[in-house]
Each structure stands twice: as structure tokens, then as C-alpha cells.
Amino acid sequence: QVQLQESGPGLVKPSETLSLTCTVSGASIRSYYWSWIRQPPGKGLEWIGYIYYSGSTGYNPSLKSRVTFSVDTSNNQLSLRLSSVTAADTAVYYCANGVVPTGSWGQGALVTVSS
Amino acid sequence: QSVLTQPPSASGTPGQTVTISCYGSSSNIGSSSVNWYQQFPGTAPKLLIYGDHQRPSGVPGRFSASKSGTSASLAISGLPSEDEADYYCAAWDDSLNAFVFGSGTKVTVL
């Protein structure tokens, strides 16, 4: 069974870059597409985009100018970078299996944007 | 403002059937398959339905879903107390070129 675990700083200052890693176990990262989703506290879900190990990506147009995904096949990890963050980027960030999440999800990582 | 519209809440007594609606448009529900997700407080969402009405392995048969035109619905029959959670519909939107979620419906078991 595929398992995912997000990790990264829980606090980021406004205007800085948010960076998260998702470690995949139970499957090769080359086997699937992977997606990122976020959820502001008390609010709904927002799809951020997807990545394939080849580097193929798709981003939500609402975030495309600020977000970058990457894959580290040697460590079976995904990464998300979101630049120029504001308080509106405070959310629980999830990685999941699939272009759209159709399989396993990570437990989520809360990232708070605050000075 | 979510692209897909759901009622903020729905409720029922144990054993009843609760139905959740999801309204979209020709660029999302009208042209793409619908997924439904279940989320308990403090936990990650879980895929409940994919491809409009398909249940992944392990999802109880009391969950069923359908789609007609630009709207979709999820029904929970024989509502047990443990199904008290948030439910989200979702679909690919061709105009936005993005996967969009509904606003979410909180189901309460009275």
C-alpha cells in the first residue's frame, strides 16, 4: 500500500518561499502521478497541481505563477515550493496519489504564514 | 467561491437516507467524471466515489452516487452515526484547466 508523509517548516514568513517534501513509501515514485492539495483552516479543498517523475507537471492557474513541483527519484520524494506567500497561503498541505487524488493521501502538513 | 456548489449542511437520523447535491456547469460536471471525498475532522480526505458512481474497494455499499447533466449527487443510505463527516464533490474543469472541489457539505447524524 502506498504511504505518503509530508514534512517541512510549520511557519513561514510573509513574502518568503514555502517548501514541503512528501516522502513516498510502498511504491516507486516512478509508478504514478502525484498531486498536491491544500486546505485553509476551516475551509474547503484546493487542488494545487500534479507531477510525474519525468518532470511533466500541471498547475492550478490560480497558483501557477508561484508554485513549482519537483521529484527526487533517488529518495522517492516529491517537493513543493510556493513563493511570495501571504497569510492566505496558510493551510494544511497534502500530497496524494494521482493527477487528481484517487488513491492514498498523506496526513497533511500545517503551514502557517506569519511574521 | 467554489466552482462546484454544495449545500453547507445536511442531516438525518440513524437509518435514514441523506442525499448531497453538487451543482456545476458544462465545463466540469457536464464534461468530466465526478469524484466524492469524505473527510473526518483533523484527517485527510478519503476517496469515496470515482468515475461518477464507482466505489473503490473497501467503501461500503451504503454510499452511492449519480450524475445528470451538470449536477451530481451522493446518497448515504441506512445512515450510521460514524458517517458524520464533511463530503466534497470534485471534477476536472476544462475551462479552468484545473481539478475543482465543491464547497463541502457537513453531514450531521441527529
Side-chain angles (χ1 to χ4, degrees):
Chain A
Q1 183 174 345
V2 180
Q3 294 187 313
L4 303 97
Q5 176 74 58
E6 303 88 350
S7 59
L11 182 64
V12 180
K13 290 182 168 57
S15 80
E16 295 190 343
T17 297
L18 177 161
S19 296
L20 289 172
T21 297
C22 172
T23 301
V24 177
S25 58
S28 169
I29 206 161
R30 297 169 184 263
S31 299
Y32 300 100
Y33 282 80
W34 307 93
S35 49
W36 288 91
I37 303 99
R38 70 179 183 176
Q39 184 173 36
K43 296 188 179 181
L45 300 162
E46 180 179 32
W47 179 82
I48 302 172
Y50 71 85
I51 186 168
Y52 193 53
Y53 81 95
S54 63
S56 173
T57 55
Y59 298 117
N60 190 321
S62 67
L63 296 167
K64 187 174 182 177
S65 63
R66 298 193 292 130
V67 68
T68 305
F69 298 150
S70 60
V71 170
D72 179 353
T73 55
S74 59
N75 289 306
N76 233 36
Q77 291 179 326
L78 320 167
S79 292
L80 173 154
R81 289 173 57 86
L82 183 66
S83 63
S84 305
V85 296
T86 69
D89 295 310
T90 293
V92 175
Y93 287 77
Y94 298 100
C95 53
N97 194 197
V99 169
V100 300
T102 54
S104 301
W105 292 60
Q107 65 183 32
L110 174 61
V111 179
T112 301
V113 178
S114 175
S115 56
Chain B
Q1 196 81 352
S2 297
V3 173
L4 304 181
T5 302
Q6 298 179 236
S9 63
S11 62
T13 56
Q16 279 189 326
T17 296
V18 169
T19 302
I20 302 166
S21 57
C22 176
Y23 297 100
S25 68
S26 58
S27 65
N28 41 66
I29 293 179
S31 56
S32 303
S33 60
V34 178
N35 292 354
W36 289 90
Y37 299 87
Q38 176 190 55
Q39 185 180 33
F40 296 103
T43 69
K46 166 192 165 184
L47 181 67
L48 207 57
I49 298 285
Y50 68 96
D52 296 337
H53 59 84
Q54 304 290 335
R55 284 191 311 275
S57 174
V59 172
R62 63 179 180 272
F63 293 99
S64 63
S66 63
K67 185 176 85 172
S68 178
T70 59
S71 66
S73 63
L74 174 72
I76 311 173
S77 59
L79 186 68
S81 59
E82 61 259 33
D83 286 351
E84 194 163 276
D86 293 324
Y87 293 84
Y88 294 89
C89 60
W92 187 265
D93 190 293
D94 290 329
S95 294
L96 298 174
N97 198 28
F99 189 65
V100 293
F101 288 92
S103 43
T105 299
K106 182 175 181 60
V107 169
T108 302
V109 182
L110 302 171

